């Protein structure tokens, strides 16, 4: 009886250890996926920031061109005698 | 719109995950079948991970679409280039107009006829007439021949008025040719108006014929008196 009880205890410990290893493997998979997700989010933030910066630069250039055009149109409209025949 | 909707769904998923984690924790602590609760929790975690990745992909794709599909910038850039070209063409047109105004003017500057020097041929004929008294007849013929070439307005002026003319300034006196003033034979100068009313050359020119007329009248009276005496 004592041998049978020791064998069952050993089996139970082995089952518990296997279950523990399975749980550890699951947690490692989940943590790895979360890290991948985090890396993706960091990379996505960087690319989005760079694209937004390029868009901001384009907008600045367009605003400057518009201001230049406004000044030129203002000068031309302020002196209409240039276009009078 | 899609980006905002997906972002709102991701925020709602965060609260759901927090609520599910609290529920699994309490269930695991209170339940006797902890193995089953753990298996359910594992399954829920896998599904939650997939759901979170799906939501994150949706949000990121929507944001990427918003950033990359910016055709409005290119359209605005094209419109600005068009306006720039239009302004450049307007400036070129204005420069062309200004250049044509500088090159050709409809109202050309006109100078009075008296301020222009006479041709050298006429001056020589007058000098010969003044110097040589014997060849007076021939010089008169030459003058008549010259006057025939001149236009009609030349006959209204006395050809000997140049003797009465004096140089107004020292610069004019240096140039002897300018002392003899003569009209020009172009048609445009006839229509010119007198710009400076202070000149009185015309008055001196008119005074000489009046003096001649008075002399001529006195000669007639002298002839009449002489004829009366003889009778």
């Amino acid at each position: 009886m004592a041998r049978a009880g020791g064998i069952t205890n050993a089996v139970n410990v082995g089952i518990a250890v296997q279950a523990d290893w399975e749980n550890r493997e699951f947690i490692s998979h989940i943590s790895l996926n979360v890290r991948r997700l985090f890396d993706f989010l960091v990379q996505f933030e960087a690319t989005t920031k760079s694209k937004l910066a390029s868009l901001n630069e384009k907008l600045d250039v367009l605003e400057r061109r518009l201001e230049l055009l406004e000044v030129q149109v203002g000068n031309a409209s302020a002196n209409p005698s240039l276009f009078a025949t | 719109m899609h980006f905002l909707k997906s972002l709102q769904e991701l925020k709602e998923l965060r609260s759901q995950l927090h609520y599910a984690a609290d529920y699994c924790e309490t269930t695991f602590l209170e339940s006797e079948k902890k193995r089953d609760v753990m298996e359910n929790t594992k399954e829920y975690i896998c599904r939650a991970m997939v759901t979170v990745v799906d939501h994150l992909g949706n949000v990121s794709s929507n944001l990427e679409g918003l950033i990359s599909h910016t055709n409005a910038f290119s359209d605005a850039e094209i419109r600005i280039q068009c306006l720039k070209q239009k302004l450049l063409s307007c400036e070129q047109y204005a420069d062309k107009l200004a250049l044509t105004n500088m090159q050709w003017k409809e109202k050309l500057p006109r100078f009075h006829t008296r301020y222009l020097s006479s041709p050298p041929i006429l001056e020589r004929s007058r000098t010969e007439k003044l110097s040589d008294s014997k060849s007076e007849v021939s010089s008169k013929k030459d003058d008549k021949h010259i006057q025939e070439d001149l236009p009609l307005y030349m006959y209204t002026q006395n050809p000997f008025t140049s003797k009465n003319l004096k140089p107004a300034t020292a610069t004019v006196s240096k140039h002897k040719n300018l002392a003899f003033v003569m009209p020009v034979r172009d048609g445009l100068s006839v229509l010119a108006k007198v710009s400076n009313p202070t000149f009185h050359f015309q008055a001196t020119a008119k005074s000489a014929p009046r003096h001649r007329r008075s002399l001529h009248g006195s000669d007639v009276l002298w002839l009449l008196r002489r004829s009366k005496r003889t009778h």
Side-chain angles (χ1 to χ4, degrees):
Chain A
M1 287 297 290
R3 280 188 179 178
I7 291 169
T8 53
N9 284 333
V11 171
N12 287 333
V13 169
I15 291 170
V17 169
Q18 187 180 0
D20 184 65
W21 276 110
E22 286 178 356
N23 288 333
R24 286 174 185 269
E25 186 181 5
F26 176 77
I27 291 170
S28 67
H29 280 296
I30 294 296
S31 63
L32 181 63
N33 286 324
V34 170
R35 285 184 181 179
R36 285 179 180 175
L37 193 61
F38 181 74
D39 291 338
F40 166 76
L41 287 175
V42 169
Q43 190 177 356
F44 179 73
E45 183 190 8
T47 54
T48 306
K49 278 187 176 179
S50 67
K51 288 182 179 179
L52 285 174
S54 65
L55 285 177
N56 191 19
E57 189 178 357
K58 284 184 179 179
L59 274 175
D60 288 339
V61 171
L62 288 176
E63 283 179 357
R64 289 177 185 173
R65 287 183 180 177
L66 271 177
E67 288 178 358
L68 179 65
L69 282 174
E70 284 177 358
V71 170
Q72 288 178 352
V73 170
N75 287 331
S77 60
N79 194 6
S81 62
L82 290 174
F83 304 100
T85 56
Chain B
M1 289 295 293
H2 295 286
F3 170 71
L4 293 175
K5 189 177 179 180
S6 60
L7 191 64
Q8 187 65 31
E9 288 177 357
L10 186 63
K11 286 179 181 177
E12 290 175 359
L13 183 64
R14 183 182 64 178
S15 63
Q16 287 179 8
L17 287 175
H18 277 288
Y19 180 75
D22 291 337
Y23 175 76
C24 288
E25 188 178 0
T26 54
T27 306
F28 181 79
L29 291 175
E30 292 176 357
S31 171
E32 294 179 355
K33 297 179 180 177
K34 295 186 180 182
R35 194 177 187 87
D36 294 337
V37 173
M38 186 168 284
E39 291 296 328
N40 290 330
T41 305
K42 284 182 181 177
E43 191 176 354
Y44 182 76
I45 287 171
C46 289
R47 289 181 182 177
M49 277 295 294
V50 172
T51 307
V52 167
V53 168
D54 189 17
H55 277 82
L56 279 176
N58 193 13
V59 170
S60 61
S61 67
N62 286 328
L63 186 59
E64 178 73 16
L66 281 177
I67 293 173
S68 61
H69 294 87
T70 53
N71 294 322
F73 288 100
S74 58
D75 292 341
E77 199 166 358
I78 290 169
R79 288 179 182 176
I80 285 172
Q81 289 290 338
C82 180
L83 284 173
K84 213 169 182 178
Q85 289 291 327
K86 285 181 180 178
L87 269 175
L88 186 63
S89 62
C90 285
E91 286 180 355
Q92 287 179 355
Y93 179 67
D95 292 340
K96 192 177 179 181
L97 277 178
L99 192 63
T100 51
N101 287 330
M102 288 292 291
Q103 284 178 348
W104 180 79
K105 289 181 179 179
E106 190 175 1
K107 296 179 179 178
L108 290 170
R110 296 176 180 177
F111 301 103
H112 199 275
T113 58
R114 293 165 184 159
Y115 306 146
L116 299 174
S117 61
S118 62
I121 301 170
L122 296 174
E123 183 182 348
R124 188 184 63 185
S125 66
R126 285 173 194 161
T127 52
E128 287 176 355
K129 182 182 177 182
L130 291 172
S131 62
D132 194 2
S133 59
K134 294 181 179 178
S135 61
E136 189 175 358
V137 180
S138 62
S139 65
K140 283 182 180 178
K141 287 180 180 179
D142 291 335
D143 283 339
K144 285 181 179 179
H145 180 67
I146 291 166
Q147 287 176 358
E148 286 175 0
D149 295 335
L150 294 177
L152 183 62
Y153 64 89
M154 285 290 296
Y155 293 103
T156 58
Q157 293 184 351
N158 191 1
F160 299 101
T161 53
S162 59
K163 294 164 75 176
N164 298 327
L165 290 174
K166 293 179 181 178
T169 58
T171 56
V172 178
S173 63
K174 290 179 182 178
H175 305 284
K176 294 179 180 178
N177 292 329
L178 293 175
F180 301 98
V181 179
M182 195 91 179
V184 182
R185 300 179 183 179
D186 55 351
L188 292 173
S189 61
V190 178
L191 300 173
K193 296 179 180 179
V194 179
S195 59
N196 193 0
T198 57
F199 276 87
H200 300 288
F201 291 159
Q202 192 68 33
T204 56
K206 287 179 180 178
S207 63
R210 284 177 185 173
H211 183 64
R212 278 192 161 192
R213 284 176 187 174
S214 63
L215 286 173
H216 188 262
S218 64
D219 293 340
V220 171
L221 290 173
W222 179 73
L223 287 173
L224 289 172
R225 288 172 185 171
R226 189 176 180 183
S227 61
K228 286 179 181 178
R229 287 176 186 173
T230 52
H231 288 294

